[in-house]
Amino acid sequence: MPAKILIVEDEPSICENVVYALEADGFAVSTAATGQSALEQVKAQDFSLIILDVGLPDMTGFEVCKAVRRSHSLPVLFLTARSSEVDRVVGLEIGGDDYVVKPFSPRELVARVRAILRRVSAVPLPALRPDTAVPLVIDDVRCQAIYYGTALNLSRYEFRMLRAFAAHPGRVFSREQLMDHASEEPDASMERTVDTHVKTLRARMRGVRTGLDPIVTHRGMGYSLLETWPDA
């Protein structure tokens, strides 16, 4: 049986996009538009993970998470428009496993779901499909990059570059743009080291997935992250 995900989101368009992304990737999905409905479904069904909006019409997602935690240990991924550090910390401290801020990439969300389930669950995951999920998760709270379930050992510049790539798979970044993303005070010397950082990123990612080059060189233009990925 595929992993079953409960989406708790009161905005129909957002809910539909998340449902489509997860179902296209092989997950079974249920939805709820209120906190009370979510709690009733958690009591009646077995879920592998909850995607939980913080701003629900009847109670906050934080309150729902606390109620769930009283009787269940299933992982919770918060989905919210709140981006302040205080909200992120509160969400994680009350038992959340990850935190995604709107607007978000459905591909990134699916990748984060996969990463959480690999860490906390023995539930078998559906195979990655070439056009549905990027197997790279950027955890801004912990400043980690998770690639095919493995945390990469990156410098701050490499992490920031990879975060820029992951936010826009397929987009070509010039060296100057990558420099701007990587450094608080970019200068000419930093721009000359972009190639070195990209080389290191490739080496670290190939160490996890031998034979796959995730960063594409565009001669005379710059670099991009793969947009289409092979099966796991």
Side-chain angles (χ1 to χ4, degrees):
M1 293 291 292
K4 189 171 184 179
I5 312 298
L6 174 62
I7 302 170
V8 189
E9 168 61 62
D10 65 322
E11 178 58 46
S13 61
I14 294 175
C15 188
E16 289 172 7
N17 286 336
V18 176
V19 169
Y20 178 81
L22 289 168
E23 288 184 341
D25 209 56
F27 291 97
V29 180
S30 294
T31 64
T34 66
Q36 185 59 44
S37 174
L39 293 176
E40 291 173 358
Q41 291 195 52
V42 168
K43 288 181 181 179
Q45 303 179 55
D46 292 326
F47 293 100
S48 302
L49 180 143
I50 302 176
I51 296 176
L52 180 57
D53 183 23
V54 171
L56 296 170
D58 58 339
M59 63 179 73
T60 70
F62 296 149
E63 291 172 325
V64 175
C65 182
K66 288 179 181 178
V68 169
R69 282 285 175 265
R70 295 189 188 108
S71 57
H72 295 78
S73 60
L74 71 163
V76 174
L77 186 156
F78 284 113
L79 184 63
T80 178
R82 302 181 183 186
S83 59
S84 72
E85 181 179 0
V86 172
D87 286 329
R88 293 199 301 269
V89 170
V90 169
L92 294 171
E93 285 187 345
I94 66 173
D97 295 270
D98 205 348
Y99 202 104
V100 176
V101 178
K102 304 173 186 176
F104 60 91
S105 161
R107 286 184 172 183
E108 178 188 356
L109 182 65
V110 171
R112 285 178 180 268
V113 167
R114 284 178 168 275
I116 293 172
L117 292 177
R118 286 192 187 98
R119 292 199 304 265
V120 304
S121 176
V123 176
L125 302 182
L128 283 169
R129 299 182 183 182
D131 61 344
T132 55
V134 175
L136 173 64
V137 177
I138 302 298
D139 187 337
D140 284 314
V141 175
R142 300 173 181 83
C143 292
Q144 281 189 331
I146 311 297
Y147 183 56
Y148 281 103
T150 299
L152 300 175
N153 182 20
L154 304 176
S155 70
R156 61 178 179 178
Y157 297 120
E158 293 157 2
F159 173 77
R160 290 170 181 169
M161 284 186 185
L162 194 55
R163 180 173 59 187
F165 280 133
H168 304 280
R171 171 183 168 179
V172 178
F173 289 88
S174 68
R175 289 172 176 80
E176 181 178 1
Q177 288 171 329
L178 289 173
M179 175 186 67
D180 289 339
H181 281 287
S183 178
E184 298 91 343
E185 299 180 0
D187 55 29
S189 62
M190 176 62 196
E191 186 174 359
R192 289 194 295 270
T193 67
V194 166
D195 290 348
T196 300
H197 288 304
V198 169
K199 181 179 180 180
T200 303
L201 278 174
R202 280 176 164 151
R204 297 193 190 285
M205 296 173 84
R206 284 171 176 166
V208 174
R209 191 75 170 179
T210 304
L212 176 61
D213 190 352
I215 300 177
V216 181
T217 299
H218 301 264
R219 295 188 180 278
M221 294 184 289
Y223 302 96
S224 70
L225 186 72
L226 280 178
E227 190 170 13
T228 299
W229 295 79
D231 292 333

